[in-house]
Amino acid sequence: MPLTDHLKQITYGGNDGIVTTFAIVAGFAGAEAEGAAGIGALAVLVFGLANLFADGVSMGLGEFLSTRSARALYRAERARVLARADRTALVAVLVQRGFGAETAARVAEGLEESPELVADLLAGAGVALPDMRSARPAVDGLVTFCAFLAFGLVPLLPFLLAGPDAGSAAASAVASLGALLALGLLRARATGERAARALAEVVGVGVLCGLVAFAVGALVG
């Protein structure tokens, strides 16, 4: 399974997992409410793990339903376009692509020997949607869930490995930053874009969300 086939699900699920889970840590750190020090770390674990699995399932199922709906819509639109297809429509598409009228007519006659190719040309010109015929909703949903779970667990690792008493928001922030950097580098490698840009976007979104969660916690606390 090539990484690029599911880059959207990995990036979306991973980034949301990190941000969502660290938001709980940052919220508790920002609150510093009276009496919260004794139960704060344990509460982070309880709420963090509960939120991690609940949101992971929700995102996985959401991706499954979204991909399934997009695929159904593409198939319906493709069938609508092909129902009105004829040689005149094919010639018109070829002319739009730069062929002269006579050349387009000859090419259209030859292309009619391959109905699938004709269908692809007409659907590509008449359906303003990405080709979803090969989409696999169940796989997309599972990849989103796994990415959310794997990356979303990182902010909780200091509390899980060192124990609630030894875990700290600072260690969680460092771990989360490391996960965001890894996710940004993963995106850069898969897309071929500049690493600096991918890192700036992924880390920037994560840091911004963490600061918002900390600020809200401070205001409430």
Side-chain angles (χ1 to χ4, degrees):
M1 182 179 67
L3 174 62
T4 51
D5 287 353
H6 295 284
L7 182 62
K8 169 182 173 288
Q9 288 78 25
I10 294 172
T11 304
Y12 179 48
N15 191 80
D16 204 60
I18 298 169
V19 168
T20 300
T21 310
F22 181 68
I24 294 176
V25 179
F28 272 94
E32 295 181 345
E34 182 70 24
I39 64 170
L42 182 59
V44 166
L45 271 178
V46 172
F47 283 103
L49 288 173
N51 187 73
L52 179 66
F53 281 91
D55 271 11
V57 171
S58 175
M59 285 197 64
L61 290 176
E63 181 66 23
F64 167 76
L65 294 174
S66 174
T67 303
R68 190 173 181 180
S69 299
R71 187 179 65 180
L73 178 61
Y74 176 84
R75 286 175 173 173
E77 286 293 297
R78 180 184 172 90
R80 178 185 61 79
V81 170
L82 295 182
R84 300 182 299 180
D86 54 21
R87 182 178 294 188
T88 301
L90 179 57
V91 169
V93 169
L94 292 173
V95 169
Q96 290 175 358
R97 300 294 176 89
F99 286 92
E102 293 184 3
T103 304
R106 291 196 302 271
V107 172
E109 183 178 359
L111 286 175
E112 287 179 341
E113 296 179 9
S114 176
E116 278 299 311
L117 181 55
V118 172
D120 288 342
L121 285 171
L122 292 175
V127 180
L129 294 169
D131 191 337
M132 299 292 293
R133 284 175 294 169
S134 61
R136 295 177 291 176
V139 175
D140 287 353
L142 181 61
V143 171
T144 300
F145 170 75
C146 291
F148 186 97
L149 213 63
F151 282 95
L153 190 62
V154 173
L156 299 177
L157 285 180
F159 300 93
L160 289 170
L161 297 178
D165 294 334
S168 69
S172 179
V174 172
S176 300
L177 181 61
L180 288 169
L181 289 171
L183 189 61
L185 290 174
L186 186 67
R187 191 184 99 176
R189 180 177 180 181
T191 61
E193 64 182 310
R194 289 187 303 149
R197 177 177 179 178
L199 288 171
E201 291 181 358
V202 173
V203 175
V205 169
V207 171
L208 177 62
C209 292
L211 290 174
V212 169
F214 183 87
V216 172
L219 289 173
V220 173

Short mmCIF file of all heavy atoms in Angstrom, two decimals, residues 164-205:
data_model
loop_
_atom_site.label_atom_id
_atom_site.label_comp_id
_atom_site.label_asym_id
_atom_site.label_seq_id
_atom_site.Cartn_x
_atom_site.Cartn_y
_atom_site.Cartn_z
N PRO A 164 1.37 8.81 36.26
CA PRO A 164 0.68 10.09 36.39
C PRO A 164 1.41 11.09 37.28
O PRO A 164 1.41 12.28 37.02
CB PRO A 164 -0.66 9.69 37.01
CG PRO A 164 -0.85 8.27 36.63
CD PRO A 164 0.52 7.67 36.62
N ASP A 165 2.09 10.59 38.34
CA ASP A 165 2.75 11.51 39.26
C ASP A 165 3.98 12.16 38.63
O ASP A 165 4.30 13.31 38.90
CB ASP A 165 3.17 10.77 40.53
CG ASP A 165 1.96 10.28 41.33
OD1 ASP A 165 0.90 10.92 41.19
OD2 ASP A 165 2.08 9.28 42.04
N ALA A 166 4.69 11.37 37.78
CA ALA A 166 5.92 11.89 37.20
C ALA A 166 5.69 12.59 35.86
O ALA A 166 6.51 13.37 35.42
CB ALA A 166 6.92 10.75 37.01
N GLY A 167 4.56 12.28 35.21
CA GLY A 167 4.28 12.90 33.92
C GLY A 167 4.07 14.39 34.05
O GLY A 167 3.66 14.89 35.09
N SER A 168 4.36 15.12 32.98
CA SER A 168 4.22 16.56 33.03
C SER A 168 3.74 17.10 31.71
O SER A 168 3.92 16.49 30.66
CB SER A 168 5.56 17.22 33.40
OG SER A 168 6.48 17.08 32.34
N ALA A 169 3.12 18.28 31.77
CA ALA A 169 2.64 18.93 30.56
C ALA A 169 3.81 19.32 29.66
O ALA A 169 3.70 19.28 28.44
CB ALA A 169 1.82 20.16 30.92
N ALA A 170 4.94 19.67 30.27
CA ALA A 170 6.11 20.06 29.48
C ALA A 170 6.63 18.89 28.66
O ALA A 170 6.94 19.03 27.47
CB ALA A 170 7.22 20.58 30.40
N ALA A 171 6.72 17.71 29.29
CA ALA A 171 7.18 16.53 28.57
C ALA A 171 6.19 16.16 27.46
O ALA A 171 6.58 15.74 26.37
CB ALA A 171 7.35 15.35 29.53
N SER A 172 4.91 16.33 27.74
CA SER A 172 3.89 16.05 26.74
C SER A 172 4.01 17.01 25.56
O SER A 172 3.84 16.61 24.40
CB SER A 172 2.49 16.17 27.36
OG SER A 172 1.49 15.93 26.40
N ALA A 173 4.31 18.27 25.85
CA ALA A 173 4.48 19.26 24.78
C ALA A 173 5.66 18.91 23.88
O ALA A 173 5.58 19.02 22.65
CB ALA A 173 4.67 20.65 25.38
N VAL A 174 6.77 18.47 24.49
CA VAL A 174 7.95 18.08 23.71
C VAL A 174 7.64 16.87 22.84
O VAL A 174 8.01 16.82 21.65
CB VAL A 174 9.13 17.78 24.66
CG1 VAL A 174 10.30 17.19 23.87
CG2 VAL A 174 9.58 19.04 25.38
N ALA A 175 6.95 15.88 23.43
CA ALA A 175 6.59 14.68 22.67
C ALA A 175 5.65 15.03 21.51
O ALA A 175 5.79 14.51 20.40
CB ALA A 175 5.93 13.66 23.60
N SER A 176 4.70 15.92 21.77
CA SER A 176 3.76 16.33 20.73
C SER A 176 4.47 17.07 19.61
O SER A 176 4.17 16.86 18.42
CB SER A 176 2.67 17.23 21.33
OG SER A 176 1.95 16.55 22.33
N LEU A 177 5.41 17.91 19.97
CA LEU A 177 6.18 18.63 18.95
C LEU A 177 6.97 17.66 18.08
O LEU A 177 7.03 17.81 16.86
CB LEU A 177 7.13 19.63 19.62
CG LEU A 177 8.00 20.48 18.68
CD1 LEU A 177 7.13 21.34 17.77
CD2 LEU A 177 8.95 21.38 19.49
N GLY A 178 7.55 16.63 18.72
CA GLY A 178 8.28 15.63 17.97
C GLY A 178 7.37 14.88 17.00
O GLY A 178 7.76 14.60 15.86
N ALA A 179 6.15 14.57 17.46
CA ALA A 179 5.19 13.87 16.59
C ALA A 179 4.77 14.75 15.41
O ALA A 179 4.63 14.27 14.29
CB ALA A 179 3.97 13.46 17.40
N LEU A 180 4.58 16.03 15.66
CA LEU A 180 4.23 16.96 14.58
C LEU A 180 5.36 17.08 13.56
O LEU A 180 5.12 17.13 12.35
CB LEU A 180 3.89 18.33 15.17
CG LEU A 180 2.57 18.44 15.94
CD1 LEU A 180 2.49 19.77 16.68
CD2 LEU A 180 1.38 18.31 14.98
N LEU A 181 6.59 17.11 14.05
CA LEU A 181 7.74 17.17 13.15
C LEU A 181 7.81 15.91 12.28
O LEU A 181 8.06 15.99 11.07
CB LEU A 181 9.03 17.32 13.95
CG LEU A 181 9.26 18.68 14.62
CD1 LEU A 181 10.46 18.61 15.56
CD2 LEU A 181 9.47 19.77 13.58
N ALA A 182 7.58 14.75 12.91
CA ALA A 182 7.60 13.49 12.16
C ALA A 182 6.51 13.47 11.09
O ALA A 182 6.72 13.03 9.96
CB ALA A 182 7.43 12.31 13.11
N LEU A 183 5.33 13.97 11.45
CA LEU A 183 4.21 14.00 10.51
C LEU A 183 4.50 14.96 9.35
O LEU A 183 4.19 14.66 8.19
CB LEU A 183 2.93 14.43 11.24
CG LEU A 183 1.62 14.30 10.45
CD1 LEU A 183 1.38 12.85 10.07
CD2 LEU A 183 0.45 14.82 11.29
N GLY A 184 5.11 16.10 9.66
CA GLY A 184 5.47 17.05 8.61
C GLY A 184 6.50 16.48 7.66
O GLY A 184 6.40 16.65 6.43
N LEU A 185 7.52 15.79 8.20
CA LEU A 185 8.54 15.17 7.34
C LEU A 185 7.94 14.05 6.50
O LEU A 185 8.33 13.86 5.34
CB LEU A 185 9.68 14.62 8.21
CG LEU A 185 10.55 15.68 8.90
CD1 LEU A 185 11.55 15.01 9.85
CD2 LEU A 185 11.30 16.52 7.85
N LEU A 186 6.99 13.31 7.08
CA LEU A 186 6.31 12.25 6.34
C LEU A 186 5.55 12.82 5.15
O LEU A 186 5.60 12.28 4.04
CB LEU A 186 5.34 11.51 7.27
CG LEU A 186 4.65 10.27 6.72
CD1 LEU A 186 5.65 9.16 6.46
CD2 LEU A 186 3.57 9.79 7.69
N ARG A 187 4.87 13.94 5.38
CA ARG A 187 4.14 14.60 4.29
C ARG A 187 5.09 15.10 3.22
O ARG A 187 4.84 14.95 2.02
CB ARG A 187 3.31 15.76 4.85
CG ARG A 187 2.31 16.31 3.84
CD ARG A 187 1.59 17.51 4.39
NE ARG A 187 2.19 18.74 3.89
CZ ARG A 187 1.71 19.96 4.15
NH1 ARG A 187 0.65 20.11 4.93
NH2 ARG A 187 2.28 21.03 3.66
N ALA A 188 6.20 15.70 3.64
CA ALA A 188 7.17 16.24 2.68
C ALA A 188 7.76 15.12 1.82
O ALA A 188 7.91 15.27 0.61
CB ALA A 188 8.27 16.98 3.42
N ARG A 189 8.05 14.00 2.44
CA ARG A 189 8.63 12.88 1.69
C ARG A 189 7.64 12.31 0.69
O ARG A 189 8.00 11.94 -0.43
CB ARG A 189 9.09 11.80 2.65
CG ARG A 189 9.71 10.59 1.95
CD ARG A 189 10.22 9.57 2.92
NE ARG A 189 10.80 8.42 2.24
CZ ARG A 189 11.31 7.36 2.85
NH1 ARG A 189 11.32 7.31 4.17
NH2 ARG A 189 11.81 6.36 2.15
N ALA A 190 6.37 12.23 1.09
CA ALA A 190 5.35 11.63 0.22
C ALA A 190 4.99 12.55 -0.94
O ALA A 190 4.72 12.07 -2.05
CB ALA A 190 4.11 11.30 1.03
N THR A 191 4.98 13.86 -0.71
CA THR A 191 4.53 14.79 -1.74
C THR A 191 5.67 15.39 -2.55
O THR A 191 5.45 15.92 -3.64
CB THR A 191 3.74 15.95 -1.11
OG1 THR A 191 4.60 16.67 -0.20
CG2 THR A 191 2.53 15.42 -0.35
N GLY A 192 6.89 15.36 -2.00
CA GLY A 192 8.02 15.95 -2.70
C GLY A 192 8.11 17.45 -2.50
O GLY A 192 8.98 18.09 -3.08
N GLU A 193 7.24 18.03 -1.69
CA GLU A 193 7.32 19.47 -1.44
C GLU A 193 8.46 19.79 -0.48
O GLU A 193 9.05 18.90 0.14
CB GLU A 193 6.00 19.98 -0.85
CG GLU A 193 5.65 19.42 0.51
CD GLU A 193 4.31 19.92 1.01
OE1 GLU A 193 4.09 21.15 1.00
OE2 GLU A 193 3.49 19.09 1.43
N ARG A 194 8.79 21.06 -0.35
CA ARG A 194 9.90 21.46 0.52
C ARG A 194 9.59 21.09 1.97
O ARG A 194 8.49 21.33 2.47
CB ARG A 194 10.15 22.95 0.41
CG ARG A 194 10.76 23.37 -0.93
CD ARG A 194 11.14 24.83 -0.91
NE ARG A 194 9.97 25.65 -0.58
CZ ARG A 194 10.01 26.81 0.07
NH1 ARG A 194 11.16 27.27 0.52
NH2 ARG A 194 8.93 27.50 0.29
N ALA A 195 10.56 20.51 2.66
CA ALA A 195 10.36 20.09 4.04
C ALA A 195 10.01 21.27 4.93
O ALA A 195 9.18 21.15 5.84
CB ALA A 195 11.61 19.38 4.56
N ALA A 196 10.64 22.41 4.66
CA ALA A 196 10.39 23.58 5.51
C ALA A 196 8.93 24.00 5.46
O ALA A 196 8.33 24.34 6.49
CB ALA A 196 11.29 24.75 5.06
N ARG A 197 8.34 23.95 4.27
CA ARG A 197 6.94 24.34 4.14
C ARG A 197 6.02 23.35 4.83
O ARG A 197 5.10 23.74 5.55
CB ARG A 197 6.58 24.45 2.65
CG ARG A 197 5.12 24.79 2.42
CD ARG A 197 4.81 24.96 0.95
NE ARG A 197 3.41 25.25 0.73
CZ ARG A 197 2.87 25.49 -0.45
NH1 ARG A 197 3.63 25.48 -1.54
NH2 ARG A 197 1.59 25.74 -0.57
N ALA A 198 6.26 22.05 4.61
CA ALA A 198 5.42 21.03 5.23
C ALA A 198 5.51 21.11 6.75
O ALA A 198 4.50 21.03 7.45
CB ALA A 198 5.84 19.64 4.74
N LEU A 199 6.71 21.28 7.26
CA LEU A 199 6.90 21.37 8.71
C LEU A 199 6.23 22.62 9.28
O LEU A 199 5.59 22.56 10.33
CB LEU A 199 8.39 21.38 9.05
CG LEU A 199 9.14 20.05 8.86
CD1 LEU A 199 10.63 20.26 9.02
CD2 LEU A 199 8.64 19.03 9.87
N ALA A 200 6.38 23.74 8.58
CA ALA A 200 5.79 24.98 9.06
C ALA A 200 4.27 24.88 9.15
O ALA A 200 3.66 25.33 10.14
CB ALA A 200 6.18 26.14 8.13
N GLU A 201 3.65 24.25 8.16
CA GLU A 201 2.19 24.14 8.17
C GLU A 201 1.70 23.17 9.24
O GLU A 201 0.79 23.49 10.01
CB GLU A 201 1.70 23.71 6.78
CG GLU A 201 1.89 24.77 5.72
CD GLU A 201 1.38 24.33 4.35
OE1 GLU A 201 0.92 23.18 4.21
OE2 GLU A 201 1.44 25.17 3.42
N VAL A 202 2.30 21.98 9.28
CA VAL A 202 1.84 20.97 10.24
C VAL A 202 2.12 21.40 11.68
O VAL A 202 1.24 21.34 12.54
CB VAL A 202 2.51 19.61 9.94
CG1 VAL A 202 2.17 18.59 11.04
CG2 VAL A 202 2.07 19.08 8.60
N VAL A 203 3.35 21.84 11.93
CA VAL A 203 3.71 22.25 13.30
C VAL A 203 2.97 23.53 13.68
O VAL A 203 2.52 23.67 14.82
CB VAL A 203 5.24 22.46 13.41
CG1 VAL A 203 5.60 23.02 14.78
CG2 VAL A 203 5.96 21.14 13.17
N GLY A 204 2.81 24.44 12.73
CA GLY A 204 2.11 25.69 13.02
C GLY A 204 0.68 25.46 13.47
O GLY A 204 0.22 26.06 14.46
N VAL A 205 -0.04 24.58 12.76
CA VAL A 205 -1.42 24.27 13.15
C VAL A 205 -1.46 23.63 14.53
O VAL A 205 -2.28 23.98 15.37
CB VAL A 205 -2.06 23.33 12.10
CG1 VAL A 205 -3.39 22.79 12.62
CG2 VAL A 205 -2.28 24.07 10.80
#
